Amino acid sequence: MTEGAEGLRSIPALLHRNATRFAKASAYREKEFGIWQSWTWAETEKQIEALALGLLNLGVNEGDFVAIIGRNRPYLYWSMVAAQSVGAIPVPLYQDAVAEEMEYVLSHCGARFVIVADQEQVDKVIEVQEHLHQFEHLIYLDPRGLRKYDHTRLHQYSHVQDQGRAAYDEFIPELKRRREKLGYDDTCVMLYTSGTTGKPKGVVLSNRNIIETAKASSEFDHLKPNDEVLAYLPMAWVGDFIFSIGQAYWTGFCVNCPESAETMMTDLKEIAPSYYFAPPRVFETQLTSIMIRMEDAGPFKKRMFHYFMKHAKEVGPRILDGKPVGFGERLKYALGELMVYGPLKNTLGFSKVRVGYTAGEAIGPEIFSFYRSLGINLKQLYGQTEAGVFITQQPDGEVRADTVGVPSPGVEVRIDDSGEVFYRSPGVFVEYYKNPESTASTKDAEGWVATGDAGFFEPDTGHLRIIDRAKDVGKMADGSMFAPKYVENKLKFYPNILEAVVFGNERDKCTAFINIDLSAVGNWAERNNISYASYQELAGHPKVLEMIQNHVEETNASVAQDEMLSGCQIHRFLVLHKELDADDGELTRTRKVRRKIIGEKFEDLVNALYDGSDSVYTETEVTYEDGRKGKIKATLSIRDAKVLPVAPKSMAAE
Amino acid sequence: MKDMSEGYVTADGRKIGGVLMEMKNITLRFGGVVAIKDISFDIREGEIRAIIGPNGAGKSSMLNVISGFYIPSEGEVFYKGSKRPQMRPYQVAQQGIARTFQNIALFEGMTVLDNIMTGRLTNMKSNLFQQALWYGKANEEEMANREKVERVIDFLEIQSIRKTPVGRLPYGLKKRVELARALAAEPSLLLLDEPMAGMNVEEKEDMSRFILDVNDEFGTTIALIEHDMGVVMDLSDRVVVMDYGKKIGDGTPDEVRNNQDVIDAYLGVAHD
């Protein structure tokens, strides 16, 4: 068969190529016991083979689903490839999901085998196992605390590998047979979408989807075998699968795993990746912490920082885009690099970033330009699980904060009459597992997939601009357009605002819930001698409300300038007494707002926003990290924000 | 109480061995004050043994006797089968006994890593001169000890604060660092003086999990003093109850819970 890119039709095939071509180059690194441990491609192949043999020994059949749960560790990435090697389908799950969420996914795909990281995950699986009819064996990585467990269906990862090695002669012919049988249209991986609405759906991606996407995107950004990435985003997320498996195996670069979630920033600094991906939230948090630390710095450092940052903002992005910049300005920028930008980038771990991406949410223009002005080539992409990530991305030199770039290589994009974005590409998913209705309603016979996002191409540049989720875009009572996300994003660009939810569909005016950012507002409170005992108290402090009111009014002023959306100014708002949380179902696991659920859960608050009252009393159920539930009570005050007059243009729009 | 001279098996299937330490008729006086009055009990290999009692019952004094810091006025201490002579604290440490303190006793200005490294001091053979110049065995020794320390850091999940000075840490984490330092010495008997005092529920749960894991993973014998009854009853295999310097109860958590003297001591009883 010659089908497949360079005749390589599966991840195990790519692994074999890498183990031959880059045998001595590092494939994986993980910090453990304070030292970076590394595995070459040749060693990786051996490890994966041992595990695959062990899985055969346990009786994994072709077409079985193998669920994988845990934080980013080389061993778990190997599990995915080992599962593929024996013809099974890996299904990575979000490790912070509670047991019931796992139960749904595990029983939906009917996983016979589950490979987990540690005791915490073992406990969750055991908790729900009696509802899982097909579940048979559980393999764990870290034996700690598991000594006393019943081991009839429980196996330690290293023992499975040992048994695999011991039974090498017995199983190797079968492993080879299965490995070589893997075709371009066989399933590579199944990933569950986080589901802003309803139950998660299993997106089936074939080897063709993954390899074609990895090939096209690696070429687009000229990725090289000596590139380094830090794998820290959830393994269940399609982006991580493409970066840490698809592109890594296609290109042959090294995947680095942090020591623990808390040490991510230190590990980032030590590794200094050359190819980096982070959701806007990570960049926001980093910028907030830089700004907080600069506030505490000495006056000389502070002045130097602000002086050079001002210069960087003017010329940094232009240098990055290869536009003409005067000699004097370049010299001053070089001095700034020496004094401020270089050390700062080093501290952040961005010294070597050649290509950086952000996606998932809109990024604040301020934040975006901050990183670009430092000389970090941060770009935006627009993607979906169903597309194998890439739909559009920004080419080098054409980067802007408010667009998501041009269609990725091999991707066709069109906008239908209602403004919804559709795409078609080799990366388009096969189907939603056991859900033909959803598959049919998302993907048409010609392979066009509805994104559910409303957007348009900018006529001058050909770049795509996304306005909002198509189903969230509504109409106000007076018929003008309502795009909540657009306003929410503007609000969220203020470091003090963590999350915002705007209401107003089919109403006469817009209102909003605001979540404060505890670290930013807390630091501000400390500097201004405002004492508080809890999140709730800080969120309800009159001075905080005043500050948020200023932000809302500034946002209104900026919204008013957009002709189409000037009706979306916020008339009234309140600051929520609790942080919106995925454990309470208010956010998805990828931290996107679940508008409808929030609207229903806090119905009393929404009503209060519209009935003109000054304050409202509410009781809310919350879920603690350990799964227990409690109630918090609060009286929230509601504030009116200044709005700018809207020009009556609904007539003209007719 | 059932005969347990050959050890016993706990409800969750752990095998408890023979006697590791035995206290025989211990009395401790400070001038006219009698802190401990004629107390005898034993600690078995592999068990979690708790000492509880109301304030001023003499728990910490008892722990100090076990650790060799106080010399009992009367009575004898047997450790690993032989009678223990009067010892300096470092000799106690060399015998494989490590402890944590009720009031945290860490070096505030040093990093977490350095603090835990001090727990390895008794295992270092190179002298000051060699260590200063990285001469002789010093280098090798440092690496071997660092590896042991890193395993403890990994075990207690404190990788993210490895290089943080202890003074900057919150209370709950300092407690964990103390435990780490004690564990770094690879003790056969670990003494914990109120490991959960002043912690919130979540920190207590974490610490309980660590104590159980230490016992399970390394087979370390643990003697602990604790105020939180819920924690004690969940964690320990056997409990000694003290009140006004006397032993008023000894046995499994269930036995102790139903002991009338213990109930009286905790809930109060009318004196007539």
Side-chain angles (χ1 to χ4, degrees):
Chain A
M1 268 191 284
T2 50
E3 190 191 33
E6 297 176 19
L8 298 161
R9 297 183 307 274
S10 67
I11 300 290
L14 287 172
L15 170 68
H16 184 67
R17 180 202 66 179
N18 292 349
T20 321
R21 196 186 288 176
F22 311 119
K24 292 206 174 98
S26 291
Y28 286 94
R29 277 193 214 105
E30 182 187 34
K31 196 170 183 187
E32 208 183 10
F33 305 126
I35 293 174
W36 286 97
Q37 322 276 344
S38 69
W39 293 267
T40 64
W41 279 106
E43 285 164 347
T44 301
E45 191 186 28
K46 288 274 164 239
Q47 291 277 359
I48 291 174
E49 188 175 81
L51 183 65
L53 291 167
L55 290 177
L56 285 177
N57 185 32
L58 280 177
V60 175
N61 295 323
E62 282 167 292
D64 277 351
F65 288 95
V66 179
I68 288 148
I69 317 168
R71 68 178 175 84
N72 313 66
R73 299 199 62 184
Y75 306 94
L76 294 181
Y77 285 115
W78 300 341
S79 313
M80 294 214 245
V81 185
Q84 291 167 342
S85 305
V86 298
I89 297 154
V91 185
L93 267 61
Y94 285 95
Q95 58 155 336
D96 56 352
V98 294
E100 300 94 75
E101 292 173 14
M102 279 183 187
E103 183 190 326
Y104 175 79
V105 173
L106 290 176
S107 66
H108 184 259
C109 69
R112 278 181 68 211
F113 294 82
V114 183
I115 302 177
V116 303
D118 53 18
Q119 187 187 14
E120 185 188 342
Q121 309 296 347
V122 169
D123 286 348
K124 281 196 261 185
V125 176
I126 289 178
E127 193 183 325
V128 299
Q129 68 174 353
E130 54 191 82
H131 305 291
L132 306 173
H133 304 299
Q134 280 144 305
F135 167 74
E136 280 174 35
H137 291 283
L138 186 56
I139 298 167
Y140 61 83
L141 201 52
D142 183 357
R144 171 165 167 201
L146 290 165
R147 205 177 296 268
K148 283 175 280 177
Y149 284 51
D150 173 14
H151 272 65
T152 45
R153 294 162 70 180
L154 195 60
H155 313 270
Q156 189 174 335
Y157 188 96
S158 59
H159 296 172
V160 174
Q161 281 187 318
D162 289 342
Q163 283 159 1
R165 284 186 197 105
Y168 183 87
D169 295 333
E170 187 182 343
F171 291 115
I172 195 72
E174 175 67 6
L175 178 62
K176 279 194 175 140
R177 188 187 70 76
R178 291 199 195 179
R179 227 169 18 198
E180 275 150 27
K181 220 174 90 183
L182 293 172
Y184 221 31
D185 288 311
D186 286 334
T187 304
C188 178
V189 67
M190 185 156 90
L191 300 160
Y192 278 82
T193 57
S194 52
T196 23
T197 49
K199 289 279 183 196
K201 288 181 282 201
V203 179
V204 175
L205 293 168
S206 66
N207 287 320
R208 180 192 303 276
N209 295 151
I210 296 296
I211 293 176
E212 290 289 334
T213 304
K215 177 172 179 268
S217 53
S218 300
E219 282 163 7
F220 185 84
D221 281 312
H222 316 290
L223 299 179
K224 294 189 294 256
N226 60 1
D227 273 323
E228 302 274 347
V229 295
L230 187 74
Y232 69 101
L233 290 159
M235 288 177 69
W237 176 63
V238 64
D240 187 63
F241 192 84
I242 288 287
F243 300 133
S244 305
I245 293 206
Q247 294 181 337
Y249 280 68
W250 175 258
T251 314
F253 59 70
C254 179
V255 174
N256 299 281
C257 298
E259 189 168 21
S260 73
E262 295 81 43
T263 59
M264 197 290 245
M265 287 300 163
T266 328
D267 299 332
L268 181 65
K269 185 183 169 187
E270 288 174 359
I271 286 297
S274 56
Y275 177 43
Y276 180 69
F277 184 93
R281 190 177 289 264
V282 171
F283 290 110
E284 271 171 50
T285 319
Q286 276 189 335
L287 180 58
T288 309
S289 89
I290 295 169
M291 288 308 175
I292 289 171
R293 279 161 71 180
M294 281 321 298
E295 288 291 340
D296 297 338
F300 175 71
K301 281 186 186 162
K302 221 193 280 194
R303 275 189 59 189
M304 190 167 77
F305 175 77
H306 290 297
Y307 177 79
F308 280 112
M309 280 318 297
K310 190 164 159 269
H311 181 66
K313 266 191 195 128
E314 285 161 17
V315 300
R318 269 158 50 203
I319 293 177
L320 209 56
D321 288 344
K323 288 180 187 146
V325 177
F327 178 73
E329 284 181 319
R330 270 185 197 276
L331 200 66
K332 194 166 155 192
Y333 189 83
L335 188 65
E337 175 78 28
L338 194 70
M339 307 290 282
V340 176
Y341 322 140
L344 186 58
K345 280 190 285 188
N346 185 28
T347 307
L348 294 171
F350 291 157
S351 299
K352 293 186 192 154
V353 172
R354 202 161 49 78
V355 184
Y357 273 111
T358 181
E361 295 267 341
I363 187 164
E366 291 280 300
I367 300 162
F368 194 63
S369 67
F370 174 84
Y371 288 98
R372 287 195 59 84
S373 62
L374 286 177
I376 299 164
N377 186 18
L378 182 61
K379 309 195 284 184
Q380 298 199 73
L381 70 80
Y382 171 63
Q384 273 191 331
T385 307
E386 287 82 349
V389 184
F390 299 95
I391 299 174
T392 67
Q393 59 197 125
Q394 295 176 325
D396 289 339
E398 293 177 41
V399 180
R400 285 172 43 200
D402 55 353
T403 75
V404 292
V406 298
S408 303
V411 182
E412 300 167 74
V413 178
R414 71 172 166 89
I415 315 277
D416 81 346
D417 300 338
S418 66
E420 190 173 346
V421 179
F422 287 75
Y423 63 91
R424 184 163 72 173
S425 76
V428 164
F429 72 119
V430 180
E431 58 170 358
Y432 291 121
Y433 186 64
K434 287 204 262 188
N435 195 345
E437 300 96 69
S438 286
T439 310
S441 67
T442 311
K443 188 168 91 161
D444 70 13
E446 290 169 8
W448 287 99
V449 181
T451 59
D453 287 322
F456 62 92
F457 277 108
E458 280 192 349
D460 310 340
T461 57
H463 281 229
L464 183 66
R465 247 180 93 171
I466 299 295
I467 309 173
D468 204 337
R469 296 288 299 164
K471 66 176 165 38
D472 288 339
V473 175
K475 284 208 162 23
M476 309 269 305
D478 65 358
S480 57
M481 189 180 186
F482 170 67
K485 193 93 165 271
Y486 175 79
V487 186
E488 285 162 12
N489 283 337
K490 282 193 184 289
L491 283 167
K492 279 160 66 179
F493 295 155
Y494 293 96
N496 293 325
I497 298 178
L498 182 71
E499 210 64 69
V501 189
V502 173
F503 302 96
N505 198 18
E506 281 160 25
R507 306 226 191 209
D508 55 345
K509 57 190 180 189
C510 283
T511 58
F513 286 174
I514 309 277
N515 244 186
I516 56 165
D517 183 324
L518 186 60
S519 61
V521 179
N523 189 274
W524 169 85
E526 208 173 285
R527 277 183 282 117
N528 289 283
N529 291 324
I530 293 168
S531 61
Y532 63 97
S534 65
Y535 180 88
Q536 191 179 339
E537 193 181 332
L538 184 65
H541 197 283
K543 286 213 167 143
V544 173
L545 293 179
E546 212 165 281
M547 176 173 73
I548 299 293
Q549 178 152 9
N550 285 335
H551 293 337
V552 172
E553 285 169 359
E554 282 166 30
T555 305
N556 281 346
S558 135
V559 171
Q561 284 170 7
D562 193 310
E563 264 177 45
M564 247 162 43
L565 297 165
S566 59
C568 298
Q569 293 181 63
I570 293 159
H571 290 248
R572 283 157 65 78
F573 72 94
L574 58 79
V575 175
L576 282 177
H577 51 299
K578 72 174 279 280
E579 210 170 291
L580 296 174
D581 198 322
D583 286 348
D584 293 325
E586 293 148 351
L587 301 178
T588 65
R589 288 279 158 210
T590 45
R591 302 198 61 95
K592 286 186 185 141
V593 166
R594 283 178 154 151
R595 199 171 301 283
K596 195 157 158 246
I597 292 173
I598 294 171
E600 282 161 11
K601 182 168 179 181
F602 298 104
E603 205 186 345
D604 51 340
L605 301 183
V606 179
N607 290 339
L609 281 171
Y610 283 99
D611 68 9
S613 48
D614 296 334
S615 70
V616 54
Y617 171 80
T618 185
E619 287 183 13
T620 314
E621 190 173 79
V622 290
T623 314
Y624 297 110
E625 296 243 312
D626 60 0
R628 282 177 303 151
K629 289 190 192 299
K631 258 200 163 102
I632 48 174
K633 304 183 185 110
T635 304
L636 307 178
S637 55
I638 296 173
R639 294 224 164 188
D640 291 306
K642 235 186 350 229
V643 291
L644 297 174
V646 181
K649 55 155 178 49
S650 49
M651 301 298 286
E654 290 293 319
Chain B
M1 228 166 64
K2 48 186 183 270
D3 176 50
M4 295 188 297
S5 52
E6 287 305 310
Y8 62 102
V9 176
T10 60
D12 55 8
R14 276 160 48 241
K15 283 192 192 66
I16 302 297
V19 175
L20 179 71
M21 180 174 260
E22 189 171 16
M23 322 296 289
K24 270 194 180 153
N25 309 97
I26 302 288
T27 299
L28 180 68
R29 288 192 208 90
F30 296 108
V33 180
V34 185
I36 302 174
K37 250 184 266 173
D38 191 28
I39 288 190
S40 304
F41 66 93
D42 60 12
I43 300 170
R44 285 165 181 281
E45 244 168 76
E47 76 177 343
I48 301 181
R49 187 75 148 123
I51 304 171
I52 64 170
N55 281 331
K59 301 183 299 289
S60 287
S61 301
M62 193 70 232
L63 203 72
N64 280 323
V65 171
I66 299 175
S67 74
F69 188 66
Y70 289 162
I71 312 300
S73 319
E74 283 164 34
E76 291 164 336
V77 179
F78 290 88
Y79 180 61
K80 291 182 176 167
S82 54
K83 192 180 164 202
R84 195 166 73 177
Q86 195 171 327
M87 286 190 300
R88 312 278 309 153
Y90 76 90
Q91 291 170 315
V92 178
Q94 279 169 350
Q95 283 206 333
I97 300 178
R99 69 167 297 177
T100 66
F101 296 85
Q102 189 176 346
N103 311 313
I104 294 162
L106 293 165
F107 303 101
E108 297 264 312
M110 277 161 46
T111 63
V112 168
L113 181 65
D114 288 341
N115 264 285
I116 303 173
M117 282 296 271
T118 61
R120 300 289 310 165
L121 275 181
T122 50
N123 302 65
M124 297 203 192
K125 287 180 187 66
S126 52
N127 59 35
L128 180 73
F129 177 73
Q130 288 170 321
Q131 285 177 14
L133 295 178
W134 285 87
Y135 166 78
K137 284 237 178 280
N139 195 350
E140 229 170 84
E141 213 175 62
E142 173 92 7
M143 289 211 286
N145 284 317
R146 172 74 188 267
E147 197 185 328
K148 291 253 160 63
V149 166
E150 283 294 344
R151 284 187 186 271
V152 172
I153 289 177
D154 183 71
F155 189 82
L156 295 179
E157 294 165 10
I158 46 177
Q159 299 99 328
S160 58
I161 53 167
R162 191 184 278 130
K163 300 269 168 77
T164 313
V166 165
R168 289 224 307 255
L169 295 177
Y171 181 80
L173 278 179
K174 283 187 187 171
K175 280 265 182 194
R176 214 187 282 181
V177 175
E178 263 225 324
L179 177 60
R181 182 178 57 183
L183 278 182
E186 297 179 285
S188 40
L189 175 60
L190 177 63
L191 309 176
L192 305 174
D193 195 350
E194 302 213 11
M196 321 220 187
M199 286 188 171
N200 64 30
V201 178
E202 204 180 321
E203 288 169 332
K204 276 183 188 172
E205 281 176 358
D206 281 350
M207 188 54 106
S208 305
R209 168 58 57 89
F210 287 129
I211 292 173
L212 286 172
D213 281 352
V214 166
N215 178 258
D216 185 46
E217 199 78 1
F218 308 124
T220 312
T221 310
I222 296 171
L224 65 100
I225 294 180
E226 187 47 60
H227 263 301
D228 189 319
M229 288 297 278
V231 170
V232 171
M233 294 303 179
D234 280 352
L235 280 184
S236 33
D237 300 312
R238 290 191 302 152
V239 183
V240 178
V241 193
M242 291 176 70
D243 192 18
Y244 295 112
K246 284 182 292 195
K247 182 168 103 171
I248 58 169
D250 189 354
T252 64
D254 278 336
E255 287 167 353
V256 166
R257 204 178 282 138
N258 298 321
N259 180 327
Q260 192 56 44
D261 290 337
V262 176
I263 296 170
D264 290 349
Y266 267 87
L267 298 179
V269 64
H271 292 278
D272 39 24

